[in-house]
Amino acid sequence: MSEKNLLDPSDIRVLRILQRDASLSIADIAREAGMSQTPCWRRIKKLKESGVIRQIVAVVDREAVGLGFVAYAFVKLTVPSRDNMETFDKLVQRWQEVVICERITGAVDYLIKVVADDIKGYDDFLRLKLLDNTLVSDVQSRIVVHTVKHTVALPLRET
């Protein structure tokens, strides 16, 4: 179902507030969204139950916890079959260094974002996990030198 059919303007206002700061109290969210507390609480509950809000988490500054290295890797499977893709999908779920994994179209099969302590940590991940299986035939890495923008907030628009 599309966003326009699923969310009304009040839902959008509440989601924008939560994306900015999910630690706000229901009273603060309701006040900022222009509604009373009980309907605001019910709306948030409905958004969680329907899966619109998947989870509420703390966004950690990776450099503050010693994870100063980011790379994007374009991964090509030896044979991009359904079974191999499903197997690779399961492997990626176990690799904590991979923070984003997208199956893509084109000359490669996956784009993954890898976060590590440093380049040695990335090299260990690359050699000991990513390339240490017969599923992967090629990896092209792009090292991030500076992050210009990083947000987890979606560009929600009121209809």
Side-chain angles (χ1 to χ4, degrees):
M1 189 179 290
S2 75
E3 173 189 315
K4 291 180 182 178
N5 295 333
L6 183 62
L7 304 174
D8 65 24
S10 294
D11 290 332
I12 300 293
R13 283 194 305 276
V14 168
L15 288 170
R16 283 183 182 156
I17 295 164
L18 288 171
Q19 285 188 127
R20 191 182 69 247
D21 186 356
S23 70
L24 292 173
S25 68
I26 294 293
D28 290 337
I29 296 167
R31 182 173 33 261
E32 193 172 328
M35 60 181 67
S36 59
Q37 290 184 42
T38 301
C40 182
W41 176 82
R42 283 191 192 121
R43 189 171 294 273
I44 292 170
K45 185 176 185 277
K46 178 191 76 157
L47 291 166
K48 287 178 180 178
E49 289 170 352
S50 70
V52 171
I53 297 174
R54 287 189 303 168
Q55 63 187 134
I56 295 176
V57 300
V59 178
V60 177
D61 183 309
R62 65 177 173 75
E63 290 183 354
V65 294
L67 296 170
F69 185 87
V70 177
Y72 287 88
F74 295 93
V75 179
K76 183 168 182 52
L77 299 184
T78 306
V79 177
S81 67
R82 177 179 167 191
D83 287 342
N84 285 350
M85 287 181 170
E86 289 174 0
T87 302
F88 186 79
D89 293 354
K90 289 175 186 167
L91 278 173
V92 167
Q93 295 299 324
R94 297 193 324 237
W95 295 336
Q96 70 179 24
E97 300 91 343
V98 177
V99 295
I100 297 174
C101 177
E102 309 276 7
R103 193 177 307 135
I104 61 175
T105 63
V108 297
D109 302 303
Y110 290 89
L111 171 62
I112 61 174
K113 181 179 181 180
V114 181
V115 176
D117 297 345
D118 52 27
I119 197 161
K120 183 191 177 318
Y122 179 69
D123 182 55
D124 289 346
F125 167 77
L126 191 62
R127 288 180 303 104
L128 303 175
K129 292 182 180 175
L130 194 55
L131 293 173
D132 193 35
N133 66 69
T134 57
L135 292 173
V136 176
S137 69
D138 187 42
V139 176
Q140 302 263 330
S141 298
R142 302 296 184 266
I143 296 170
V144 174
V145 295
H146 178 71
T147 300
V148 177
K149 179 181 180 180
H150 180 269
T151 182
V152 293
L154 296 175
L156 302 172
R157 292 173 181 76
E158 291 184 36
T159 55

